[in-house]
Amino acid sequence: MQQKQFKPEVPATQFIKILGAKVRYADVGKGRVVVLLHGFVENLEVWFGNKFAQDLAKHYRVIAIDLPGHGKSECIGYVHRMERLADVVKGLMDELGLRRYAMVGHSMGGYVALAFAEKYPDNLSGFCLFHSTTTPDSAAKKIERERAIRLVKKAPTKYTNALIENLFAVANVRYFKSEITWLKRMAAKTKPQGIIACLEGMKIRKNRESILRNSTVPVLFMAGARDNVIPLEVSEKQKDLAKDQRYVALEKCGHMGFLEQKETALKKLKAFCSHAFSA
């Protein structure tokens, strides 16, 4: 793998009030709608930095959102429950007059997509868990979240820098230095209140395996073979729960497939969306 020039692009964005909070979103492309939900301490720009969203928008209308407390969207409380974040996404889509769409959730965004699928199943044509899981935090993970909250209160940038470095496969770090620096800057702009609110929300999220078992729409699992955050075996165990499922294990990447292995991830996602919209 050769090092490449990385020039992140920032999309044109708009703002709208949802549930009393200002929410930023980007709206690009035409056609059937694909909603992109970013991960923890990211924002909507993460989908555009290497033109992943732009390339997807050649085939679909892409709506990317700053989840509350991230990017330029305002917080909606001191605890951001995944169900509440799903309500914000639904509110935005309703304001845009959109009634049915595919949804892609990266990491924490996948938790939001699952909560959305539970509350608003009739609005989904399909959904993708992109380096995400249905399982709740273990007891050990909840303790880790508590430690993280204490660290964020004292030194938020120290916390986000360490977090970002763990997102890439160890073997890929040397090839994605520019992207990692970019992501660290993005994460450093996330307000501590937003970070803590989402840590609290992720800590108390419930098991949503039943959403997969009962899903009447296609589900795509995108996993990283070298993922330090959501181990490959976790994705492998849950993939067979859905009746109509597709499973992709990106062999050379960690937790950031749309950056580490963009072309393969994009190809598989486009194929899935085509299937979801025709199912």
Side-chain angles (χ1 to χ4, degrees), residues 9-16 18 22-29 32-39 42-49 51-54 56-57 60-68 70-73 85 88-90 92-93 96 98 101-106 109 112 182 186 258 269:
E9 294 191 2
V10 178
T13 59
Q14 303 173 64
F15 291 87
I16 193 168
I18 305 292
K22 184 175 69 174
V23 174
R24 181 176 73 144
Y25 69 97
D27 185 347
V28 296
R32 302 300 294 269
V33 178
V34 181
V35 182
L36 301 181
L37 305 179
H38 62 76
E42 300 169 5
N43 63 51
L44 65 82
E45 295 173 20
V46 76
W47 299 105
F48 291 85
K51 298 184 179 181
F52 186 92
Q54 293 93 319
L56 186 61
Y60 301 102
R61 180 181 176 186
V62 175
I63 309 293
I65 305 166
D66 275 354
L67 292 171
H70 288 66
K72 296 181 180 179
S73 289
L85 298 184
V88 170
V89 176
K90 178 63 161 57
L92 172 62
M93 303 308 287
L96 295 177
L98 301 172
Y101 27 82
M103 188 168 289
V104 181
H106 175 239
V112 179
W182 172 63
M186 180 185 297
F258 48 89
L269 181 57

Side-chain angles (χ1 to χ4, degrees), residues 166-236:
N166 192 49
L167 298 181
F168 289 76
V170 174
N172 289 343
V173 171
R174 62 181 293 191
Y175 301 107
F176 290 92
K177 289 183 178 179
S178 295
E179 288 88 339
I180 291 172
T181 298
W182 172 63
L183 287 169
K184 284 182 178 180
R185 290 172 180 164
M186 180 185 297
K189 295 177 183 178
T190 309
K191 293 181 174 62
Q193 181 188 344
I195 296 175
I196 292 170
C198 283
L199 284 168
E200 294 282 10
M202 289 189 288
K203 186 179 67 177
I204 60 175
R205 76 184 190 280
K206 64 181 184 180
N207 189 318
R208 285 198 163 89
E209 285 187 354
S210 62
I211 301 303
L212 298 183
R213 292 194 185 94
N214 299 325
S215 178
T216 59
V217 298
V219 181
L220 171 63
F221 301 88
M222 197 91 74
R226 304 175 186 178
D227 195 333
N228 301 313
V229 181
I230 307 290
L232 185 64
E233 55 266 26
V234 172
S235 297
E236 289 178 335

